Amino acid sequence: MLSYIARRIMIAIPTLLVLIVFSFLLMHLAPGSPFTQERAIPPEILANLEAKYGLDQPLYVQLLQYIKNVVFHFDFGPSFVYKDRTVNAIIANGFPITLTYGVLSFVVAVVVGVTLGACAAIYQNSWLDYITVGISIGAQVLPNFVMAPILVLIFTLMLGWLPGGGWEGGQWQYLVMPVIALSTSYMASIARLTRSSMLEVLTSNHIRTARAKGMPARRIILNHALKPAMLPVVSYLGPTFVAMVTGSVVIDMYFSTGGIGLAFVNAALNRDYSLMMGVTILVGALTILFSLIVDLLYAWIDPRIRH
């Protein structure tokens, strides 16, 4: 197992370096400049600005300096638009908010999705199975950019039960609608995956053998069926967690939470290349990290993967 972990880490490190290089090059190949907005800047002032941020140096020198700052100091540099703030400060301000409701949404999606999918498979063709399939289909046709305004319309404007936006330190009433909007479509996918995988496992030979030996149904489900049925679900959870934590642009826009998604959108609109690269590298690093965690879980669930 230790050799398998070492191999996966040795793959993850160069992948992250390639991500940093490609993010840097793509940002510098994009037309325009963070300093050339609607109004033209005199050449003298533009030259001073580029010298201040090191943009007057050769591209390979900028790339090596950026890699050094990111890898050894975890420093994404200053923001080109917000002159008094660094990229690290902007990420540190918005990422904890996004992480909070992203983790809560992930927990809700996994717990509810796995429970519904497993129950639907165990009681196949029953009313519970039909309700679960109906909920999954309904949740998947209502993605977060549709679910968010519907929740605001119902629970804020019509019923007045919950605030329509804000954060206020993460109070529960400000978390309910963002968590629901972000988790529903993923919960439906997890339930569908769990149901189909569970149905396949329940018809396998070792389950039939356990039933023939008179083993209790609860023990069969928990000890022999649920673990192998989680293999496709676990492979889906890695990118799902990253998508929930970092792909919450719609949630930040609709509910004004102040998360990192809104900062990323503003960076793209304002051509704040350093902030865009910082958020992109953060998302990529999280994707690589949780892909590594998923691989390790896969190897723990199915030891054949290690070989």
Side-chain angles (χ1 to χ4, degrees):
M1 187 67 177
L2 291 178
S3 61
Y4 178 79
I5 295 174
R7 290 198 306 269
R8 301 307 299 170
I9 292 176
M10 294 303 295
I11 294 174
I13 292 175
T15 303
L16 182 59
L17 291 176
V18 170
L19 171 66
I20 295 174
V21 172
F22 270 88
S23 300
F24 183 89
L25 294 177
L26 289 175
M27 286 297 102
H28 282 73
L29 289 174
S33 166
F35 310 119
T36 56
Q37 300 292 334
E38 292 82 3
R39 186 172 59 182
I41 298 178
E44 298 81 6
I45 298 178
L46 181 60
N48 291 333
L49 287 172
E50 290 180 346
K52 176 183 177 181
Y53 292 104
L55 300 178
D56 58 337
Q57 299 178 357
L59 186 61
Y60 74 92
V61 175
Q62 298 181 44
L63 175 59
L64 292 176
Q65 185 64 36
Y66 188 76
I67 293 176
K68 176 183 175 183
N69 292 337
V70 171
V71 173
F72 295 103
H73 305 288
F74 198 69
D75 182 12
F76 294 113
S79 171
F80 292 156
V81 175
Y82 305 100
K83 305 294 191 251
D84 58 338
R85 304 181 68 188
T86 63
V87 175
N88 289 52
I90 296 173
I91 291 176
N93 184 53
F95 185 67
I97 296 174
T98 304
L99 183 65
T100 299
Y101 65 74
V103 170
L104 290 175
S105 302
F106 179 77
V107 172
V108 170
V110 171
V111 172
V112 177
V114 170
T115 303
L116 287 177
C119 292
I122 295 170
Y123 301 102
Q124 186 183 10
N125 296 327
S126 66
W127 62 270
L128 181 60
D129 186 17
Y130 297 142
I131 291 177
T132 301
V133 172
I135 292 174
S136 300
I137 295 174
Q140 283 192 314
V141 300
L142 291 175
N144 53 14
F145 60 85
V146 176
M147 182 67 73
I150 291 176
L151 293 173
V152 172
L153 180 64
I154 295 175
F155 293 104
T156 301
L157 299 179
M158 295 177 60
L159 300 176
W161 290 355
L162 297 170
W167 185 245
E168 298 298 328
Q171 298 179 27
W172 70 268
Q173 60 266 34
Y174 293 90
L175 284 169
V176 173
M177 289 196 294
V179 168
I180 294 175
L182 189 58
S183 63
T184 47
S185 59
Y186 294 104
M187 178 269 294
S189 299
I190 292 172
R192 185 168 49 83
L193 278 173
T194 304
R195 179 183 181 275
S196 60
S197 180
M198 196 76 170
L199 286 175
E200 182 178 356
V201 172
L202 289 175
T203 57
S204 58
N205 292 331
H206 71 282
I207 298 297
R208 283 197 292 265
T209 302
R211 286 173 174 167
K213 290 183 176 181
M215 188 176 293
R218 182 177 179 180
R219 187 178 175 186
I220 293 175
I221 298 299
L222 295 178
N223 295 351
H224 299 282
L226 192 58
K227 188 176 179 179
M230 288 297 101
L231 283 174
V233 179
V234 167
S235 63
Y236 178 75
L237 293 184
T240 297
F241 181 81
V242 177
M244 286 188 177
V245 171
T246 60
S248 56
V249 175
V250 173
I251 304 301
D252 288 334
M253 296 291 289
Y254 272 108
F255 297 109
S256 302
T257 59
I260 200 174
L262 185 59
F264 186 73
V265 172
N266 291 333
L269 296 176
N270 297 326
R271 297 180 179 178
D272 193 349
Y273 295 158
S274 58
L275 180 55
M276 290 181 65
M277 286 190 293
V279 176
T280 302
I281 293 171
L282 176 64
V283 173
L286 288 174
T287 304
I288 294 171
L289 173 62
F290 284 99
S291 296
L292 175 63
I293 293 174
V294 166
D295 288 341
L296 298 182
L297 287 175
Y298 229 76
W300 175 71
I301 293 174
D302 188 356
R304 295 173 298 176
I305 301 296
R306 306 172 198 171
H307 307 289

